[in-house]
């Protein structure tokens, strides 16, 4: 369980960088040429990869690739919603709840063998 926690924590950190690399330029660099935004995003994404690669290697010791992917998607939504509300100043939408519930279903199915031993 400790390995999953460490992997998840590192994936949370990497996802913050990923979210800013993917979407932060829409707010901060919208008046700049796209190439400038791409170069800044690549710079941010470097830090994301420096955290994400070890996170996945650690997690892969105890999870399969599908479980790692679903864990990443859960973390993505957990990071994206506060990012869009607090940083991008967008309204929270009920669609985020529905998306979260769908992902929880995916978590159940991908981890049920590990949880229930089925």
């Amino acid at each position: 369980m400790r390995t999953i926690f460490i992997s998840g924590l590192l994936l949370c950190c990497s996802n913050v960088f990923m979210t800013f690399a993917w979407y932060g330029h829409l707010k901060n660099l919208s008046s700049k040429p796209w190439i400038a935004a791409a170069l800044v995003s690549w710079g941010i994404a470097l830090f994301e990869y420096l955290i994400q690669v070890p996170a996945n290697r650690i997690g892969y010791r105890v999870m399969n690739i599908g479980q790692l992917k679903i864990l990443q998607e859960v973390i993505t939504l957990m990071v994206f919603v506060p990012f869009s509300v607090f940083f991008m100043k967008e309204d929270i939408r009920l669609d985020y709840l529905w998306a979260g519930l769908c992902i929880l279903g995916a978590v159940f199915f991908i981890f049920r063998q590990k949880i229930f031993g089925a």
Side-chain angles (χ1 to χ4, degrees):
M1 197 62 156
R2 183 175 185 269
T3 304
I4 293 172
F5 177 77
I6 291 169
S7 179
L9 184 63
L10 288 171
L11 287 172
C12 285
C13 294
S14 75
N15 207 283
V16 170
F17 284 104
M18 182 197 76
T19 301
F20 275 93
W22 281 32
Y23 304 109
H25 63 88
L26 297 173
K27 181 176 182 180
N28 295 331
L29 299 172
S30 61
S31 63
K32 304 289 185 200
W34 75 266
I35 191 71
L39 292 173
V40 169
S41 292
W42 282 348
I44 295 169
L46 171 64
F47 292 105
E48 186 259 333
Y49 272 82
L50 291 174
I51 302 169
Q52 173 264 334
V53 170
N56 281 332
R57 286 180 175 221
I58 291 167
Y60 194 61
R61 294 180 197 158
V62 296
M63 291 181 280
N64 63 41
I65 196 76
Q67 291 168 333
L68 275 171
K69 181 59 180 170
I70 294 301
L71 178 62
Q72 175 62 39
E73 294 304 325
V74 169
I75 292 168
T76 296
L77 194 57
M78 288 172 38
V79 170
F80 179 76
V81 171
F83 171 84
S84 66
V85 172
F86 296 114
F87 184 77
M88 296 299 288
K89 306 291 187 211
E90 294 198 0
D91 293 332
I92 195 159
R93 299 182 3 220
L94 195 55
D95 290 342
Y96 294 149
L97 172 65
W98 304 132
L101 289 174
C102 289
I103 289 178
L104 282 178
V107 168
F108 170 78
F109 286 111
I110 204 75
F111 284 99
R112 71 180 164 164
Q113 185 175 11
K114 192 173 278 306
I115 295 168
F116 300 112

